[in-house]
Amino acid sequence: MDKRFKPLTMAEELDVRRALLEDIEAHPGRPIPEVIRQVRTTLRMTMAEYARLCGVSARGLQDIEREVKSPTLDTVAKLLRPLGLRLSVVTRDTVAKAARNAANIPE
């Protein structure tokens, strides 16, 4: 865990993770590098720690988060696994509906 932060209680950690999952679900069109960075920072991990946890190189993770390199589907799966997430396809209509819901615009 990143040493710059005070450790969270188990209840606080669960609340943070639930909020993260709700946010990801509410924004299905968010780019993969942004989701990966959000997951890592929410878990309060450094790039090196998160890369080790996921089984990828720290440099590769850095390049993906900075959008210098496009990850393979296998790498994305590894990076999403710690939170129990899977890569999937959504339609433009689903993304538009989520955006309307986030802005509280009726359909």
Side-chain angles (χ1 to χ4, degrees), residues 4 14 30 37 44 47-49 54 56-57 63 80 100 102 105:
R4 297 173 292 177
L14 287 173
R30 187 175 285 150
R37 184 179 316 106
R44 301 168 121 189
M47 282 193 183
E49 291 169 333
C54 297
V56 300
S57 72
D63 288 348
L80 295 176
R100 284 193 303 272
I105 300 172

Side-chain angles (χ1 to χ4, degrees), residues 22-64:
E22 288 171 6
D23 185 59
I24 290 171
E25 195 171 343
H27 300 94
R30 187 175 285 150
I32 293 294
E34 192 176 318
V35 171
I36 292 168
R37 184 179 316 106
Q38 183 182 19
V39 168
R40 179 184 62 77
T41 57
T42 299
L43 294 177
R44 301 168 121 189
M45 298 182 99
T46 64
M47 282 193 183
E49 291 169 333
Y50 194 68
R52 190 172 30 258
L53 173 69
C54 297
V56 300
S57 72
R59 178 59 189 255
L61 176 59
Q62 179 182 14
D63 288 348
I64 291 165

Side-chain angles (χ1 to χ4, degrees), residues 53-90:
L53 173 69
C54 297
V56 300
S57 72
R59 178 59 189 255
L61 176 59
Q62 179 182 14
D63 288 348
I64 291 165
E65 284 192 6
R66 290 186 346 203
E67 299 185 40
V68 172
K69 178 177 147 187
S70 294
T72 64
L73 294 176
D74 185 52
T75 300
V76 172
K78 287 179 182 179
L79 292 169
L80 295 176
R81 192 172 298 132
L83 221 57
L85 299 172
R86 291 187 332 190
L87 184 63
S88 65
V89 177
V90 294

